[in-house]
Amino acid sequence: YALTNMVALFLLLSPMVRAERAADAAAAKGAAPPTALPPSPSGSPVALATLLLELLHFYGCLFDPAAHALAWDRGVHDERVVVIGRRHNSGALAVHEHAPLLIFDALDATNNVGKCCYRFSLIQKVFRCAAAAGRAAATAAAESACKGVPPDAEGIMTAMLAAADDASAARAACETNTASTEVK
């Protein structure tokens, strides 16, 4: 349920993340960045593959569960909006001080659905590996497309899933080796 909330929150948050990335790129080139970020998920449609790679990159590389919290809130017109903020272990959030991940439920703003996600770093590793494999496969497909070979969408997805499986298998092997060492 926590991962489902994370995906939903990212889908609502992605236009702002994309706009911030464009502003950073513009600033790096010396151009004036836009004065405001888009307030809502409007604008041109984004390919599902792009959203998947952005989600994997965001939660695998940018999101820090020790420093960030995700929550739903009510907007100006009572619509649901996403809030990503810094973790504060004071006030109302003090109860969640020891929670490994702060993701508040869309239906109950006091329920932290990430409270039992103690191995979130493993999920982040799988996301990082899948994002890197997806980028590499997409780059190879783009190079092939320049040579007239149509891209193989299934091949890209297969590479991402294989990288995620490799990350999981590597972790399982590490745990097995640790367990066998402890038994001796």
Side-chain angles (χ1 to χ4, degrees):
Y1 186 61
L3 284 174
T4 302
N5 270 283
M6 289 173 64
V7 170
L9 287 162
F10 177 79
L11 290 174
L12 292 172
L13 187 67
S14 65
M16 292 175 278
V17 171
R18 204 170 299 108
E20 284 182 4
R21 191 173 58 232
D24 289 345
K29 291 179 181 178
T35 56
L37 296 175
S40 65
S42 60
S44 59
V46 178
L48 187 58
T50 301
L51 284 171
L52 176 60
L53 287 175
E54 288 177 347
L55 178 133
L56 293 171
H57 176 74
F58 180 76
Y59 285 120
C61 301
L62 303 177
F63 184 77
D64 179 5
H68 297 117
L70 290 169
W72 300 87
D73 201 357
R74 296 279 180 193
V76 177
H77 303 289
D78 205 35
E79 75 278 9
R80 292 267 183 194
V81 294
V82 182
V83 176
I84 181 169
R86 304 295 285 167
R87 277 183 81 146
H88 300 289
N89 293 328
S90 60
L93 292 179
V95 220
H96 305 289
E97 178 179 7
H98 300 291
L101 187 62
L102 281 179
I103 303 171
F104 291 98
D105 193 342
L107 302 175
D108 179 3
T110 62
N111 181 25
N112 174 17
V113 296
K115 64 184 163 236
C116 59
C117 297
Y118 288 96
R119 291 188 165 204
F120 187 70
S121 62
L122 298 178
I123 293 170
Q124 285 188 299
K125 182 177 180 181
V126 169
F127 282 7
R128 276 191 302 274
C129 289
R135 277 191 301 273
T139 300
E143 289 171 0
S144 295
C146 290
K147 297 174 185 169
V149 178
D152 178 18
E154 264 187 54
I156 295 171
M157 191 57 87
T158 301
M160 291 172 63
L161 293 173
D165 283 345
D166 288 347
S168 298
R171 177 63 185 179
C174 179
E175 287 177 350
T176 303
N177 290 342
T178 305
S180 64
T181 304
E182 290 173 358
V183 171
K184 294 177 184 176

